[in-house]
Amino acid sequence: MKRIAIILSLLFIYSISFAQQTSPKINKTKIQIGDQIIYSFSLPIEKVDTSYFPIEVKDTLEIVKQTIDTVDKAGKKFLDYKYYLTSFVSGKHNIVTANGKGLEFEVLTYPIDTVKIDIKDIKANAEEAFSIKEIMPIMIWVLIGIAFCFACYFGYKFWKKYRSSNLKDIFIKPKLPAHIIALNSLEDLRLKRLIENGRVKEYYSEISEIIREYLFGRFSISAIEMTTDEILSEVENVKDISNDSISLLDYILKNSDLVKFAKFIPDSYVSDKCMKNSLEFVNQTKPIEIVEVNKERKEAENV
């Protein structure tokens, strides 16, 4: 332990005797190791001089702090000195005062029963158990990075493939011409075989609806909301629809009305003729493509 030379300043005036001061004292005679005792004494303040009587204390003692306070005793003012001492060395210790007297105290240790207590070696630091939560943030960022790389790769492939195309053509599926839609719908209706299964009314309802939607898509005639007579009257004003085509349309719509509203049960011949008339009406009134015109011209030239 570090050697500490503690000078306990005992301020005395040569002209006064030791009887005029309060005798030094300690508040305890026994302490546990590391505890503190208070060594205190007082001197009259009116006759204090700068004279000191140094006292050297053994290095087994340490001063924790010291205080000096002014107090009144019997109408006189005194300087009250207090020294807080401690020790970490067990055994008896002696403080020699200014008048040569000694103040003795004892430092006690904590008893250890080695019979009941099994002293063991110091254990190494325990390792914390592995948890998936520790690496979860890293895994998430790795997955985000992989997803970003895939997005960049496929984005580049998509851009390379469609860089010269119109965005409207890429994301918006082009609408089929009205005659293609009608022909596909008629073929789907034929494959359902509704007549063979006795679903006659459903068959004529669908065939009538297909033709009405075709008239709307091809000629902008609101045939879905019109009656048969209104439709026939309207198509007479369309120059692209011939009289022969109007006759086909008349046969389809009127037979459909008889089945839907008059509970008419036609034979298979009428049903087949309605399907053929529908196909023929669509093919006769569909727009003429430039490719077909050029083909006809070439055939005429070869003849």
Side-chain angles (χ1 to χ4, degrees):
M1 184 181 293
K2 181 176 67 175
R3 179 180 180 80
I4 301 177
I6 304 175
I7 300 178
L8 304 177
S9 302
L10 308 176
L11 303 180
F12 292 96
I13 302 176
Y14 288 115
S15 59
I16 62 175
S17 64
F18 289 110
Q20 291 177 297
Q21 68 179 4
T22 302
S23 299
K25 60 182 179 180
I26 56 178
N27 65 331
K28 297 178 182 178
T29 58
K30 291 183 180 182
I31 61 171
Q32 294 289 343
I33 190 167
D35 286 347
Q36 297 178 8
I37 63 169
I38 301 175
Y39 172 74
S40 61
F41 60 90
S42 300
L43 294 174
I45 193 172
E46 69 274 6
K47 297 181 180 180
V48 171
D49 196 358
T50 56
S51 301
Y52 294 90
F53 287 88
I55 299 175
E56 185 174 338
V57 183
K58 295 181 180 181
D59 60 0
T60 56
L61 295 178
E62 294 183 13
I63 238 180
V64 178
K65 67 176 180 178
Q66 64 182 19
T67 60
I68 302 175
D69 294 324
T70 303
V71 297
D72 290 330
K73 295 181 180 179
K76 295 183 180 180
K77 291 186 177 181
F78 286 79
L79 289 177
D80 188 34
Y81 290 82
K82 289 184 179 180
Y83 292 86
Y84 294 82
L85 306 174
T86 187
S87 177
F88 294 93
V89 179
S90 61
K92 294 183 178 181
H93 300 269
N94 189 34
I95 300 176
V96 180
T97 62
N99 56 10
K101 294 182 179 181
L103 297 175
E104 187 178 79
F105 66 95
E106 185 178 3
V107 178
L108 305 174
T109 59
Y110 293 97
I112 299 176
D113 190 352
T114 56
V115 176
K116 295 182 179 180
I117 299 177
D118 185 15
I119 300 176
K120 299 179 180 180
D121 294 336
I122 297 174
K123 294 183 178 180
N125 295 332
E127 296 184 359
E128 187 177 357
F130 175 76
S131 175
I132 192 67
K133 292 181 179 179
E134 297 177 2
I135 62 171
M136 184 61 70
I138 300 175
M139 293 175 62
I140 292 174
W141 281 110
V142 169
L143 292 175
I144 292 174
I146 294 173
F148 178 76
C149 292
F150 272 102
C152 291
Y153 173 75
F154 288 107
Y156 171 75
K157 297 285 286 185
F158 182 82
W159 171 81
K160 188 176 180 181
K161 183 178 180 180
Y162 296 104
R163 58 183 174 180
S164 59
S165 302
N166 191 346
L167 291 177
K168 185 177 180 181
D169 297 335
I170 298 173
F171 296 103
I172 300 177
K173 187 177 181 179
K175 187 176 180 180
L176 294 174
H179 67 280
I180 299 297
I181 296 174
L183 293 174
N184 291 338
S185 299
L186 290 170
E187 178 63 17
D188 292 339
L189 177 60
R190 186 185 66 82
L191 296 175
K192 288 181 181 180
R193 299 185 180 278
L194 297 178
I195 298 296
E196 289 83 341
N197 296 324
R199 298 157 63 182
V200 179
K201 185 176 180 180
E202 185 178 348
Y203 173 83
Y204 280 93
S205 296
E206 286 196 28
I207 203 169
S208 175
E209 184 178 355
I210 293 170
I211 296 302
R212 289 170 185 267
E213 289 179 352
Y214 169 71
L215 289 172
F216 176 75
R218 174 69 178 89
F219 302 105
S220 299
I221 298 174
S222 301
I224 299 174
E225 303 172 355
M226 298 169 66
T227 63
T228 298
D229 292 338
E230 289 174 342
I231 295 172
L232 295 174
S233 177
E234 186 72 21
V235 296
E236 289 179 355
N237 300 321
V238 181
K239 63 179 182 179
D240 292 335
I241 302 178
S242 64
N243 292 330
D244 185 34
S245 298
I246 294 175
S247 298
L248 296 173
L249 181 62
D250 180 85
Y251 186 87
I252 299 166
L253 296 179
K254 287 185 177 180
N255 279 282
S256 297
D257 289 344
L258 288 173
V259 175
K260 290 190 296 181
F261 305 114
K263 297 183 180 181
F264 173 67
I265 306 297
D267 55 20
S268 58
Y269 171 79
V270 176
S271 300
D272 291 340
K273 187 169 179 60
C274 282
M275 175 61 71
K276 292 178 181 178
N277 285 2
S278 299
L279 294 170
E280 190 173 352
F281 175 77
V282 172
N283 287 321
Q284 286 182 1
T285 57
K286 69 180 181 180
I288 301 174
E289 297 180 0
I290 299 176
V291 177
E292 294 181 355
V293 174
N294 294 334
K295 184 177 180 181
E296 292 176 356
R297 288 180 180 176
K298 288 181 179 179
E299 289 177 355
E301 291 175 357
N302 292 333
V303 174

